[in-house]
Amino acid sequence: MAQLINYQFLCILIFLSLPFSSLSERCHPNDKKVLLKIKESFNNPYHLASWIPDTDCCQWYVVECDRKTNRINEFHLFAANVSGQIPKEIGQLPYLESLTFHKITNLTGNIPASIIKLTKLKRLTVSWTNISGPIPSFLSQLENLTSLDLSFNNFSGSIPSSLSQLRNLDGIRLDRNKLTGSIPESLGNMNPSFQYLYLSHNELSGTIPRGWGDLNFALIELNRNKLQGDISLLLGKNKTIQILDLSRNMFQFDISNMEFPDSLTSLDLNHNMITGSLPQGLTQLRMYGFNVSYNRLCGPIPQGGSLQNFQYTEYFHNRCLCGAPLPDCK
Ligand SMILES: *[C@@H]1O[C@H](CO)[C@@H](O)[C@H](O)[C@H]1NC(C)=O
Ligand SMILES: *[C@@H]1O[C@H](CO)[C@@H](O)[C@H](O)[C@H]1NC(C)=O
Ligand SMILES: *[C@@H]1O[C@H](CO)[C@@H](O)[C@H](O)[C@H]1NC(C)=O
Ligand SMILES: *[C@@H]1O[C@H](CO)[C@@H](O)[C@H](O)[C@H]1NC(C)=O
Ligand SMILES: *[C@@H]1O[C@H](CO)[C@@H](O)[C@H](O)[C@H]1NC(C)=O
Ligand SMILES: *[C@@H]1O[C@H](CO)[C@@H](O)[C@H](O)[C@H]1NC(C)=O
Ligand SMILES: *[C@@H]1O[C@H](CO)[C@@H](O)[C@H](O)[C@H]1NC(C)=O
């Protein structure tokens, strides 16, 4: 018993003395060395002013330390006036699980290959920067990634087919870049837990991967590309999709016999080449978004459900669509 009390006493003593002792620095010396190199490579910007060598790097702005290992596990550089490239030294923070570069206008160059050394990385975000070049296919080596967000940058070239090797992904964002070529067939073979995909505002062409028919997405945004062909494999009674934006492409199919899942809450098909008439089944859905304008649809708009909650502009510019909210059928 006495021993137990002594032990507890000792623990309390150690705990109390922590903040005052020089041993209280949690930062791992390797991590500190690497972070100081990163600061230098960005030219010692004001944003990293708290990164002072004789202070604990676990207290520094932008980074976080893991509670158990005391190693740097998060790095979030956000809305910073920082210029230059992503420092290759970032690959020397082996405990990183989450890495973000967001809203940094003057961040240029490519994603450095050293990033593949971050084997524990779960979340990678490079968005609203001027990073350019192709999306590196080596990202497929970051096996632990659950989210990959490379939206709003200056990436060009095609989508690497190797991304389908990332078997833990919940989703991918590659929207608002300058990507060309077709969506690789391999993306039809994503892991079953894959939920969302944003590819909008690029210059993608070709048809959608056939394998998407077997996946259960919650959200797909492909708007503003040059995609063509049929998309009916994305829909159907047994699907789970909630948000589907295919607007401003060159999709061409007959919608007349299409079935829609009950899960669908938003469907944007505007500016395509869709033919046929709107199916009665649409009245069964509880949608908050629906836009089929600028297509080649014909016949009466089914009356009921949420279909009359939408405006004139969500149906206009079709071949001969009619009935509320458009003018009456003749
Ligand atoms: C980016 O670089 C330009 C030119 O060096 C500079 O004028 C500007 O202030 C920098 N930062 C931001 C946030 O625009
Ligand atoms: C960004 O930093 C540079 C120098 O570090 C400075 O000249 C410039 O005014 C800053 N820009 C903004 C928008 O703060
Ligand atoms: C990229 O750079 C241009 C010119 O410096 C700037 O106008 C633009 O806002 C930048 N883009 C982003 C996403 O930061
Ligand atoms: C993924 O993370 C786990 C746990 O941190 C680690 O054991 C594993 O080695 C990582 N995967 C790779 C490819 O390193
Ligand atoms: C963005 O990419 C285009 C080519 O696609 C290039 O001409 C331009 O310089 C790039 N902008 C920046 C800031 O890297
Ligand atoms: C949905 O039904 C089709 C046939 O109607 C079937 O081929 C497909 O495997 C089903 N998908 C799911 C996710 O159950
Ligand atoms: C539907 O899409 C068309 C074409 O982009 C657009 O003009 C219209 O404003 C949209 N309607 C609504 C209510 O968003």
Side-chain angles (χ1 to χ4, degrees), residues 278-280 282-285 287 290 299-315 321-329:
L278 290 176
Q280 194 64 34
L282 284 169
T283 61
Q284 303 302 309
L285 305 176
M287 291 188 291
F290 186 68
I301 295 170
Q303 300 294 299
S306 44
L307 288 185
Q308 276 64 47
N309 298 346
F310 301 107
Q311 301 169 26
Y312 173 83
T313 61
E314 285 157 317
Y315 294 100
L321 211 51
C322 59
L326 294 183
D328 290 347
C329 300

PDB file of all heavy atoms in Angstrom, residues 278-280 282-285 287 290 299-315 321-329:
ATOM      1  N   LEU A 278     -39.428  13.306 -69.049  1.00  0.00           N
ATOM      2  CA  LEU A 278     -39.110  13.109 -67.630  1.00  0.00           C
ATOM      3  C   LEU A 278     -39.980  11.988 -67.056  1.00  0.00           C
ATOM      4  O   LEU A 278     -41.203  12.035 -67.166  1.00  0.00           O
ATOM      5  CB  LEU A 278     -39.331  14.413 -66.850  1.00  0.00           C
ATOM      6  CG  LEU A 278     -38.330  15.535 -67.148  1.00  0.00           C
ATOM      7  CD1 LEU A 278     -38.709  16.812 -66.384  1.00  0.00           C
ATOM      8  CD2 LEU A 278     -36.909  15.115 -66.783  1.00  0.00           C
ATOM      9  N   PRO A 279     -39.362  10.972 -66.416  1.00  0.00           N
ATOM     10  CA  PRO A 279     -40.143   9.842 -65.903  1.00  0.00           C
ATOM     11  C   PRO A 279     -40.989  10.208 -64.679  1.00  0.00           C
ATOM     12  O   PRO A 279     -40.594  11.046 -63.860  1.00  0.00           O
ATOM     13  CB  PRO A 279     -39.087   8.798 -65.543  1.00  0.00           C
ATOM     14  CG  PRO A 279     -37.778   9.472 -65.597  1.00  0.00           C
ATOM     15  CD  PRO A 279     -37.922  10.791 -66.262  1.00  0.00           C
ATOM     16  N   GLN A 280     -42.158   9.565 -64.572  1.00  0.00           N
ATOM     17  CA  GLN A 280     -43.091   9.758 -63.460  1.00  0.00           C
ATOM     18  C   GLN A 280     -42.421   9.495 -62.102  1.00  0.00           C
ATOM     19  O   GLN A 280     -42.740  10.122 -61.102  1.00  0.00           O
ATOM     20  CB  GLN A 280     -44.272   8.782 -63.657  1.00  0.00           C
ATOM     21  CG  GLN A 280     -45.490   9.068 -62.798  1.00  0.00           C
ATOM     22  CD  GLN A 280     -46.140  10.414 -63.124  1.00  0.00           C
ATOM     23  OE1 GLN A 280     -46.156  10.859 -64.269  1.00  0.00           O
ATOM     24  NE2 GLN A 280     -46.651  11.077 -62.089  1.00  0.00           N
ATOM     25  N   LEU A 282     -39.840  10.442 -60.834  1.00  0.00           N
ATOM     26  CA  LEU A 282     -39.221  11.612 -60.202  1.00  0.00           C
ATOM     27  C   LEU A 282     -40.127  12.225 -59.140  1.00  0.00           C
ATOM     28  O   LEU A 282     -39.653  12.868 -58.201  1.00  0.00           O
ATOM     29  CB  LEU A 282     -38.897  12.675 -61.269  1.00  0.00           C
ATOM     30  CG  LEU A 282     -37.684  12.400 -62.157  1.00  0.00           C
ATOM     31  CD1 LEU A 282     -37.635  13.373 -63.325  1.00  0.00           C
ATOM     32  CD2 LEU A 282     -36.390  12.521 -61.328  1.00  0.00           C
ATOM     33  N   THR A 283     -41.440  12.015 -59.260  1.00  0.00           N
ATOM     34  CA  THR A 283     -42.370  12.608 -58.287  1.00  0.00           C
ATOM     35  C   THR A 283     -42.282  11.904 -56.935  1.00  0.00           C
ATOM     36  O   THR A 283     -42.800  12.403 -55.938  1.00  0.00           O
ATOM     37  CB  THR A 283     -43.835  12.535 -58.792  1.00  0.00           C
ATOM     38  OG1 THR A 283     -44.182  11.161 -58.958  1.00  0.00           O
ATOM     39  CG2 THR A 283     -43.999  13.260 -60.115  1.00  0.00           C
ATOM     40  N   GLN A 284     -41.635  10.750 -56.886  1.00  0.00           N
ATOM     41  CA  GLN A 284     -41.514   9.999 -55.627  1.00  0.00           C
ATOM     42  C   GLN A 284     -40.364  10.516 -54.760  1.00  0.00           C
ATOM     43  O   GLN A 284     -40.218  10.099 -53.617  1.00  0.00           O
ATOM     44  CB  GLN A 284     -41.257   8.508 -55.915  1.00  0.00           C
ATOM     45  CG  GLN A 284     -42.310   7.849 -56.790  1.00  0.00           C
ATOM     46  CD  GLN A 284     -43.693   7.952 -56.183  1.00  0.00           C
ATOM     47  OE1 GLN A 284     -43.888   7.603 -55.009  1.00  0.00           O
ATOM     48  NE2 GLN A 284     -44.646   8.475 -56.942  1.00  0.00           N
ATOM     49  N   LEU A 285     -39.526  11.382 -55.319  1.00  0.00           N
ATOM     50  CA  LEU A 285     -38.305  11.780 -54.614  1.00  0.00           C
ATOM     51  C   LEU A 285     -38.520  13.053 -53.821  1.00  0.00           C
ATOM     52  O   LEU A 285     -39.343  13.897 -54.180  1.00  0.00           O
ATOM     53  CB  LEU A 285     -37.175  12.003 -55.626  1.00  0.00           C
ATOM     54  CG  LEU A 285     -36.864  10.843 -56.560  1.00  0.00           C
ATOM     55  CD1 LEU A 285     -35.796  11.255 -57.564  1.00  0.00           C
ATOM     56  CD2 LEU A 285     -36.430   9.608 -55.791  1.00  0.00           C
ATOM     57  N   MET A 287     -36.513  15.966 -53.344  1.00  0.00           N
ATOM     58  CA  MET A 287     -35.300  16.654 -53.792  1.00  0.00           C
ATOM     59  C   MET A 287     -35.324  18.126 -53.390  1.00  0.00           C
ATOM     60  O   MET A 287     -36.366  18.755 -53.394  1.00  0.00           O
ATOM     61  CB  MET A 287     -35.175  16.556 -55.318  1.00  0.00           C
ATOM     62  CG  MET A 287     -34.867  15.147 -55.800  1.00  0.00           C
ATOM     63  SD  MET A 287     -34.498  15.135 -57.562  1.00  0.00           S
ATOM     64  CE  MET A 287     -36.083  15.517 -58.245  1.00  0.00           C
ATOM     65  N   PHE A 290     -32.811  20.458 -58.422  1.00  0.00           N
ATOM     66  CA  PHE A 290     -33.129  19.749 -59.658  1.00  0.00           C
ATOM     67  C   PHE A 290     -33.025  20.737 -60.797  1.00  0.00           C
ATOM     68  O   PHE A 290     -33.672  21.789 -60.759  1.00  0.00           O
ATOM     69  CB  PHE A 290     -34.562  19.185 -59.557  1.00  0.00           C
ATOM     70  CG  PHE A 290     -34.962  18.321 -60.716  1.00  0.00           C
ATOM     71  CD1 PHE A 290     -34.361  17.087 -60.924  1.00  0.00           C
ATOM     72  CD2 PHE A 290     -35.956  18.728 -61.587  1.00  0.00           C
ATOM     73  CE1 PHE A 290     -34.746  16.276 -61.985  1.00  0.00           C
ATOM     74  CE2 PHE A 290     -36.355  17.927 -62.654  1.00  0.00           C
ATOM     75  CZ  PHE A 290     -35.737  16.693 -62.851  1.00  0.00           C
ATOM     76  N   GLY A 299     -42.214  16.636 -73.865  1.00  0.00           N
ATOM     77  CA  GLY A 299     -43.374  16.081 -73.173  1.00  0.00           C
ATOM     78  C   GLY A 299     -43.669  16.763 -71.857  1.00  0.00           C
ATOM     79  O   GLY A 299     -42.944  17.669 -71.435  1.00  0.00           O
ATOM     80  N   PRO A 300     -44.744  16.339 -71.174  1.00  0.00           N
ATOM     81  CA  PRO A 300     -45.185  17.006 -69.941  1.00  0.00           C
ATOM     82  C   PRO A 300     -44.264  16.740 -68.755  1.00  0.00           C
ATOM     83  O   PRO A 300     -43.745  15.640 -68.613  1.00  0.00           O
ATOM     84  CB  PRO A 300     -46.577  16.411 -69.685  1.00  0.00           C
ATOM     85  CG  PRO A 300     -46.656  15.186 -70.510  1.00  0.00           C
ATOM     86  CD  PRO A 300     -45.656  15.268 -71.600  1.00  0.00           C
ATOM     87  N   ILE A 301     -44.072  17.774 -67.941  1.00  0.00           N
ATOM     88  CA  ILE A 301     -43.351  17.616 -66.673  1.00  0.00           C
ATOM     89  C   ILE A 301     -44.305  16.877 -65.727  1.00  0.00           C
ATOM     90  O   ILE A 301     -45.433  17.340 -65.517  1.00  0.00           O
ATOM     91  CB  ILE A 301     -42.971  18.993 -66.085  1.00  0.00           C
ATOM     92  CG1 ILE A 301     -41.980  19.712 -67.011  1.00  0.00           C
ATOM     93  CG2 ILE A 301     -42.383  18.852 -64.688  1.00  0.00           C
ATOM     94  CD1 ILE A 301     -41.720  21.169 -66.647  1.00  0.00           C
ATOM     95  N   PRO A 302     -43.914  15.722 -65.159  1.00  0.00           N
ATOM     96  CA  PRO A 302     -44.824  15.022 -64.238  1.00  0.00           C
ATOM     97  C   PRO A 302     -45.246  15.940 -63.098  1.00  0.00           C
ATOM     98  O   PRO A 302     -44.426  16.712 -62.593  1.00  0.00           O
ATOM     99  CB  PRO A 302     -43.976  13.852 -63.728  1.00  0.00           C
ATOM    100  CG  PRO A 302     -42.895  13.667 -64.739  1.00  0.00           C
ATOM    101  CD  PRO A 302     -42.628  15.034 -65.298  1.00  0.00           C
ATOM    102  N   GLN A 303     -46.517  15.906 -62.730  1.00  0.00           N
ATOM    103  CA  GLN A 303     -47.028  16.797 -61.685  1.00  0.00           C
ATOM    104  C   GLN A 303     -47.037  16.056 -60.347  1.00  0.00           C
ATOM    105  O   GLN A 303     -47.574  14.961 -60.241  1.00  0.00           O
ATOM    106  CB  GLN A 303     -48.445  17.268 -62.046  1.00  0.00           C
ATOM    107  CG  GLN A 303     -48.498  18.038 -63.380  1.00  0.00           C
ATOM    108  CD  GLN A 303     -47.737  19.363 -63.333  1.00  0.00           C
ATOM    109  OE1 GLN A 303     -48.059  20.243 -62.546  1.00  0.00           O
ATOM    110  NE2 GLN A 303     -46.727  19.527 -64.184  1.00  0.00           N
ATOM    111  N   GLY A 304     -46.402  16.653 -59.336  1.00  0.00           N
ATOM    112  CA  GLY A 304     -46.411  16.049 -58.005  1.00  0.00           C
ATOM    113  C   GLY A 304     -45.025  15.985 -57.395  1.00  0.00           C
ATOM    114  O   GLY A 304     -44.049  16.370 -58.025  1.00  0.00           O
ATOM    115  N   GLY A 305     -44.974  15.499 -56.158  1.00  0.00           N
ATOM    116  CA  GLY A 305     -43.705  15.436 -55.436  1.00  0.00           C
ATOM    117  C   GLY A 305     -43.100  16.810 -55.305  1.00  0.00           C
ATOM    118  O   GLY A 305     -43.810  17.791 -55.111  1.00  0.00           O
ATOM    119  N   SER A 306     -41.785  16.892 -55.476  1.00  0.00           N
ATOM    120  CA  SER A 306     -41.145  18.207 -55.355  1.00  0.00           C
ATOM    121  C   SER A 306     -40.970  18.881 -56.711  1.00  0.00           C
ATOM    122  O   SER A 306     -40.406  19.974 -56.775  1.00  0.00           O
ATOM    123  CB  SER A 306     -39.801  18.075 -54.622  1.00  0.00           C
ATOM    124  OG  SER A 306     -39.069  16.980 -55.100  1.00  0.00           O
ATOM    125  N   LEU A 307     -41.434  18.247 -57.789  1.00  0.00           N
ATOM    126  CA  LEU A 307     -41.105  18.769 -59.129  1.00  0.00           C
ATOM    127  C   LEU A 307     -41.639  20.174 -59.387  1.00  0.00           C
ATOM    128  O   LEU A 307     -41.031  20.933 -60.145  1.00  0.00           O
ATOM    129  CB  LEU A 307     -41.600  17.811 -60.214  1.00  0.00           C
ATOM    130  CG  LEU A 307     -40.813  16.504 -60.333  1.00  0.00           C
ATOM    131  CD1 LEU A 307     -41.294  15.687 -61.510  1.00  0.00           C
ATOM    132  CD2 LEU A 307     -39.313  16.758 -60.446  1.00  0.00           C
ATOM    133  N   GLN A 308     -42.768  20.553 -58.774  1.00  0.00           N
ATOM    134  CA  GLN A 308     -43.301  21.904 -59.008  1.00  0.00           C
ATOM    135  C   GLN A 308     -42.726  22.929 -58.025  1.00  0.00           C
ATOM    136  O   GLN A 308     -43.042  24.110 -58.089  1.00  0.00           O
ATOM    137  CB  GLN A 308     -44.831  21.902 -58.968  1.00  0.00           C
ATOM    138  CG  GLN A 308     -45.469  21.500 -60.307  1.00  0.00           C
ATOM    139  CD  GLN A 308     -45.133  20.061 -60.710  1.00  0.00           C
ATOM    140  OE1 GLN A 308     -45.240  19.147 -59.897  1.00  0.00           O
ATOM    141  NE2 GLN A 308     -44.704  19.858 -61.940  1.00  0.00           N
ATOM    142  N   ASN A 309     -41.850  22.461 -57.107  1.00  0.00           N
ATOM    143  CA  ASN A 309     -41.163  23.420 -56.231  1.00  0.00           C
ATOM    144  C   ASN A 309     -40.030  24.116 -56.976  1.00  0.00           C
ATOM    145  O   ASN A 309     -39.499  25.117 -56.515  1.00  0.00           O
ATOM    146  CB  ASN A 309     -40.551  22.731 -55.018  1.00  0.00           C
ATOM    147  CG  ASN A 309     -41.602  22.069 -54.145  1.00  0.00           C
ATOM    148  OD1 ASN A 309     -42.786  22.342 -54.298  1.00  0.00           O
ATOM    149  ND2 ASN A 309     -41.180  21.194 -53.252  1.00  0.00           N
ATOM    150  N   PHE A 310     -39.644  23.548 -58.118  1.00  0.00           N
ATOM    151  CA  PHE A 310     -38.521  24.126 -58.856  1.00  0.00           C
ATOM    152  C   PHE A 310     -39.028  25.167 -59.840  1.00  0.00           C
ATOM    153  O   PHE A 310     -40.201  25.182 -60.199  1.00  0.00           O
ATOM    154  CB  PHE A 310     -37.716  23.014 -59.534  1.00  0.00           C
ATOM    155  CG  PHE A 310     -37.175  22.030 -58.529  1.00  0.00           C
ATOM    156  CD1 PHE A 310     -37.713  20.753 -58.414  1.00  0.00           C
ATOM    157  CD2 PHE A 310     -36.165  22.402 -57.658  1.00  0.00           C
ATOM    158  CE1 PHE A 310     -37.244  19.868 -57.452  1.00  0.00           C
ATOM    159  CE2 PHE A 310     -35.687  21.523 -56.696  1.00  0.00           C
ATOM    160  CZ  PHE A 310     -36.233  20.249 -56.599  1.00  0.00           C
ATOM    161  N   GLN A 311     -38.070  26.032 -60.255  1.00  0.00           N
ATOM    162  CA  GLN A 311     -38.485  27.196 -61.029  1.00  0.00           C
ATOM    163  C   GLN A 311     -38.459  26.921 -62.531  1.00  0.00           C
ATOM    164  O   GLN A 311     -37.864  25.962 -62.993  1.00  0.00           O
ATOM    165  CB  GLN A 311     -37.540  28.364 -60.740  1.00  0.00           C
ATOM    166  CG  GLN A 311     -37.488  28.772 -59.279  1.00  0.00           C
ATOM    167  CD  GLN A 311     -36.348  29.732 -59.030  1.00  0.00           C
ATOM    168  OE1 GLN A 311     -35.913  30.441 -59.937  1.00  0.00           O
ATOM    169  NE2 GLN A 311     -35.861  29.769 -57.794  1.00  0.00           N
ATOM    170  N   TYR A 312     -39.033  27.827 -63.224  1.00  0.00           N
ATOM    171  CA  TYR A 312     -39.029  27.894 -64.674  1.00  0.00           C
ATOM    172  C   TYR A 312     -37.618  27.669 -65.252  1.00  0.00           C
ATOM    173  O   TYR A 312     -37.416  26.883 -66.169  1.00  0.00           O
ATOM    174  CB  TYR A 312     -39.573  29.281 -65.051  1.00  0.00           C
ATOM    175  CG  TYR A 312     -39.513  29.648 -66.498  1.00  0.00           C
ATOM    176  CD1 TYR A 312     -40.519  29.222 -67.369  1.00  0.00           C
ATOM    177  CD2 TYR A 312     -38.477  30.450 -66.984  1.00  0.00           C
ATOM    178  CE1 TYR A 312     -40.472  29.583 -68.713  1.00  0.00           C
ATOM    179  CE2 TYR A 312     -38.428  30.810 -68.323  1.00  0.00           C
ATOM    180  CZ  TYR A 312     -39.421  30.373 -69.185  1.00  0.00           C
ATOM    181  OH  TYR A 312     -39.364  30.725 -70.494  1.00  0.00           O
ATOM    182  N   THR A 313     -36.593  28.332 -64.628  1.00  0.00           N
ATOM    183  CA  THR A 313     -35.223  28.268 -65.184  1.00  0.00           C
ATOM    184  C   THR A 313     -34.589  26.897 -64.976  1.00  0.00           C
ATOM    185  O   THR A 313     -33.513  26.632 -65.491  1.00  0.00           O
ATOM    186  CB  THR A 313     -34.304  29.316 -64.528  1.00  0.00           C
ATOM    187  OG1 THR A 313     -34.230  29.043 -63.127  1.00  0.00           O
ATOM    188  CG2 THR A 313     -34.797  30.724 -64.764  1.00  0.00           C
ATOM    189  N   GLU A 314     -35.233  26.048 -64.181  1.00  0.00           N
ATOM    190  CA  GLU A 314     -34.686  24.711 -63.980  1.00  0.00           C
ATOM    191  C   GLU A 314     -35.204  23.722 -65.028  1.00  0.00           C
ATOM    192  O   GLU A 314     -34.779  22.571 -65.076  1.00  0.00           O
ATOM    193  CB  GLU A 314     -34.962  24.256 -62.543  1.00  0.00           C
ATOM    194  CG  GLU A 314     -34.004  25.000 -61.615  1.00  0.00           C
ATOM    195  CD  GLU A 314     -34.428  25.135 -60.179  1.00  0.00           C
ATOM    196  OE1 GLU A 314     -35.614  25.423 -59.927  1.00  0.00           O
ATOM    197  OE2 GLU A 314     -33.569  24.952 -59.309  1.00  0.00           O
ATOM    198  N   TYR A 315     -36.159  24.219 -65.874  1.00  0.00           N
ATOM    199  CA  TYR A 315     -36.718  23.373 -66.940  1.00  0.00           C
ATOM    200  C   TYR A 315     -36.568  24.001 -68.328  1.00  0.00           C
ATOM    201  O   TYR A 315     -36.772  23.307 -69.329  1.00  0.00           O
ATOM    202  CB  TYR A 315     -38.208  23.134 -66.674  1.00  0.00           C
ATOM    203  CG  TYR A 315     -38.512  22.330 -65.441  1.00  0.00           C
ATOM    204  CD1 TYR A 315     -38.902  22.945 -64.256  1.00  0.00           C
ATOM    205  CD2 TYR A 315     -38.419  20.929 -65.460  1.00  0.00           C
ATOM    206  CE1 TYR A 315     -39.183  22.201 -63.119  1.00  0.00           C
ATOM    207  CE2 TYR A 315     -38.705  20.174 -64.331  1.00  0.00           C
ATOM    208  CZ  TYR A 315     -39.089  20.818 -63.158  1.00  0.00           C
ATOM    209  OH  TYR A 315     -39.365  20.081 -62.035  1.00  0.00           O
ATOM    210  N   LEU A 321     -40.494  20.465 -73.656  1.00  0.00           N
ATOM    211  CA  LEU A 321     -40.957  20.202 -72.293  1.00  0.00           C
ATOM    212  C   LEU A 321     -42.091  21.180 -71.986  1.00  0.00           C
ATOM    213  O   LEU A 321     -42.022  22.339 -72.390  1.00  0.00           O
ATOM    214  CB  LEU A 321     -39.777  20.415 -71.346  1.00  0.00           C
ATOM    215  CG  LEU A 321     -39.654  19.612 -70.055  1.00  0.00           C
ATOM    216  CD1 LEU A 321     -39.807  18.119 -70.305  1.00  0.00           C
ATOM    217  CD2 LEU A 321     -38.327  19.910 -69.383  1.00  0.00           C
ATOM    218  N   CYS A 322     -43.142  20.709 -71.269  1.00  0.00           N
ATOM    219  CA  CYS A 322     -44.277  21.602 -71.013  1.00  0.00           C
ATOM    220  C   CYS A 322     -44.997  21.246 -69.718  1.00  0.00           C
ATOM    221  O   CYS A 322     -44.768  20.187 -69.139  1.00  0.00           O
ATOM    222  CB  CYS A 322     -45.250  21.547 -72.199  1.00  0.00           C
ATOM    223  SG  CYS A 322     -45.891  19.891 -72.512  1.00  0.00           S
ATOM    224  N   GLY A 323     -45.852  22.148 -69.266  1.00  0.00           N
ATOM    225  CA  GLY A 323     -46.585  21.976 -68.008  1.00  0.00           C
ATOM    226  C   GLY A 323     -45.840  22.646 -66.866  1.00  0.00           C
ATOM    227  O   GLY A 323     -44.632  22.882 -66.965  1.00  0.00           O
ATOM    228  N   ALA A 324     -46.562  22.950 -65.763  1.00  0.00           N
ATOM    229  CA  ALA A 324     -46.001  23.731 -64.651  1.00  0.00           C
ATOM    230  C   ALA A 324     -44.677  23.141 -64.179  1.00  0.00           C
ATOM    231  O   ALA A 324     -44.575  21.918 -64.076  1.00  0.00           O
ATOM    232  CB  ALA A 324     -47.012  23.760 -63.494  1.00  0.00           C
ATOM    233  N   PRO A 325     -43.673  24.055 -63.955  1.00  0.00           N
ATOM    234  CA  PRO A 325     -43.719  25.519 -63.985  1.00  0.00           C
ATOM    235  C   PRO A 325     -43.508  26.126 -65.379  1.00  0.00           C
ATOM    236  O   PRO A 325     -43.433  27.354 -65.475  1.00  0.00           O
ATOM    237  CB  PRO A 325     -42.580  25.912 -63.049  1.00  0.00           C
ATOM    238  CG  PRO A 325     -41.577  24.825 -63.233  1.00  0.00           C
ATOM    239  CD  PRO A 325     -42.359  23.574 -63.476  1.00  0.00           C
ATOM    240  N   LEU A 326     -43.403  25.318 -66.410  1.00  0.00           N
ATOM    241  CA  LEU A 326     -43.341  25.863 -67.781  1.00  0.00           C
ATOM    242  C   LEU A 326     -44.785  26.097 -68.254  1.00  0.00           C
ATOM    243  O   LEU A 326     -45.735  25.654 -67.600  1.00  0.00           O
ATOM    244  CB  LEU A 326     -42.620  24.869 -68.708  1.00  0.00           C
ATOM    245  CG  LEU A 326     -41.130  24.606 -68.446  1.00  0.00           C
ATOM    246  CD1 LEU A 326     -40.564  23.653 -69.496  1.00  0.00           C
ATOM    247  CD2 LEU A 326     -40.320  25.910 -68.443  1.00  0.00           C
ATOM    248  N   PRO A 327     -44.957  26.771 -69.369  1.00  0.00           N
ATOM    249  CA  PRO A 327     -46.313  26.965 -69.915  1.00  0.00           C
ATOM    250  C   PRO A 327     -47.027  25.622 -70.155  1.00  0.00           C
ATOM    251  O   PRO A 327     -46.368  24.594 -70.335  1.00  0.00           O
ATOM    252  CB  PRO A 327     -46.049  27.684 -71.249  1.00  0.00           C
ATOM    253  CG  PRO A 327     -44.722  28.338 -71.083  1.00  0.00           C
ATOM    254  CD  PRO A 327     -43.940  27.468 -70.167  1.00  0.00           C
ATOM    255  N   ASP A 328     -48.346  25.673 -70.138  1.00  0.00           N
ATOM    256  CA  ASP A 328     -49.166  24.470 -70.337  1.00  0.00           C
ATOM    257  C   ASP A 328     -48.812  23.746 -71.627  1.00  0.00           C
ATOM    258  O   ASP A 328     -48.387  24.362 -72.597  1.00  0.00           O
ATOM    259  CB  ASP A 328     -50.649  24.869 -70.405  1.00  0.00           C
ATOM    260  CG  ASP A 328     -51.155  25.316 -69.049  1.00  0.00           C
ATOM    261  OD1 ASP A 328     -50.435  25.067 -68.050  1.00  0.00           O
ATOM    262  OD2 ASP A 328     -52.248  25.917 -68.995  1.00  0.00           O
ATOM    263  N   CYS A 329     -49.031  22.429 -71.614  1.00  0.00           N
ATOM    264  CA  CYS A 329     -48.833  21.647 -72.838  1.00  0.00           C
ATOM    265  C   CYS A 329     -49.982  21.972 -73.804  1.00  0.00           C
ATOM    266  O   CYS A 329     -51.103  22.228 -73.373  1.00  0.00           O
ATOM    267  CB  CYS A 329     -48.842  20.158 -72.515  1.00  0.00           C
ATOM    268  SG  CYS A 329     -47.541  19.697 -71.362  1.00  0.00           S
TER     269      CYS A 329
END
